[in-house]
Amino acid sequence: AVEAWSDESDHGSESDSDEDALVASIEAKKRASAEKVKVAAEAKKREREKVAARAKALEEYQDQKRQEDEVERARVEERRRLGEQRKQQQMQSEREKRDQLRVQQLREAERIRLQQQAQLAAQAEA
């Protein structure tokens, strides 16, 4: 009976050590799995941060581009406005020159008419 009991206790301790090994194996697997989950979560977090950084950089680029486009549109509008203003001034100047020429022609015609009138009056007296 003692032999049987000692055999059972041997089996029991083997069983205990098998159970301990099994528990240790399960715990190691759990730790490895938890580590994998942690590593995957960190990788996802880094990827999200990269995506957010790219999105921010794109937004900043688009804002800068929009500002540059607005400045360019303002420059183009200013050039167009100045060109229109120069054109108006040139047209006004041309009108004034034509008007001055017309006044000169009218004065010359009036002078010639008066001169002819004076010659006719002188001939009539003579």
Side-chain angles (χ1 to χ4, degrees):
V2 173
E3 232 178 83
W5 178 81
S6 73
D7 283 347
E8 279 180 27
S9 68
D10 287 346
H11 288 304
S13 65
E14 284 177 24
S15 164
D16 283 347
S17 80
D18 287 348
E19 190 175 309
D20 289 345
L22 183 59
V23 167
S25 170
I26 290 172
E27 287 176 0
K29 286 179 183 177
K30 282 184 183 178
R31 281 192 302 274
S33 179
E35 186 63 25
K36 283 181 186 176
V37 168
K38 182 180 171 187
V39 167
E42 289 172 358
K44 272 188 176 179
K45 181 181 174 186
R46 282 192 303 275
E47 187 60 31
R48 278 194 303 271
E49 289 170 351
K50 282 182 190 176
V51 168
R54 278 191 229 118
K56 183 178 179 183
L58 177 61
E59 187 177 323
E60 288 172 357
Y61 170 78
Q62 288 173 334
D63 285 346
Q64 181 182 358
K65 190 73 174 138
R66 244 189 312 279
Q67 289 173 353
E68 289 171 0
D69 289 348
E70 287 175 20
V71 167
E72 184 58 28
R73 273 193 295 278
R75 282 187 191 134
V76 166
E77 178 59 26
E78 183 65 11
R79 281 195 302 270
R80 186 203 60 76
R81 189 187 65 73
L82 289 173
E84 185 65 30
Q85 188 178 21
R86 265 194 306 279
K87 183 179 171 185
Q88 292 294 329
Q89 288 171 344
Q90 188 176 10
M91 289 170 55
Q92 178 67 26
S93 175
E94 289 172 2
R95 272 194 299 276
E96 289 171 1
K97 286 177 186 175
R98 281 195 309 271
D99 290 349
Q100 287 174 354
L101 184 60
R102 183 74 180 134
V103 167
Q104 280 180 336
Q105 289 171 343
L106 289 173
R107 285 183 181 152
E108 184 64 22
E110 181 65 15
R111 186 186 64 74
I112 291 171
R113 189 184 64 75
L114 290 175
Q115 191 179 27
Q116 287 173 346
Q117 211 174 23
Q119 284 176 350
L120 288 175
Q123 287 173 359
E125 288 179 17

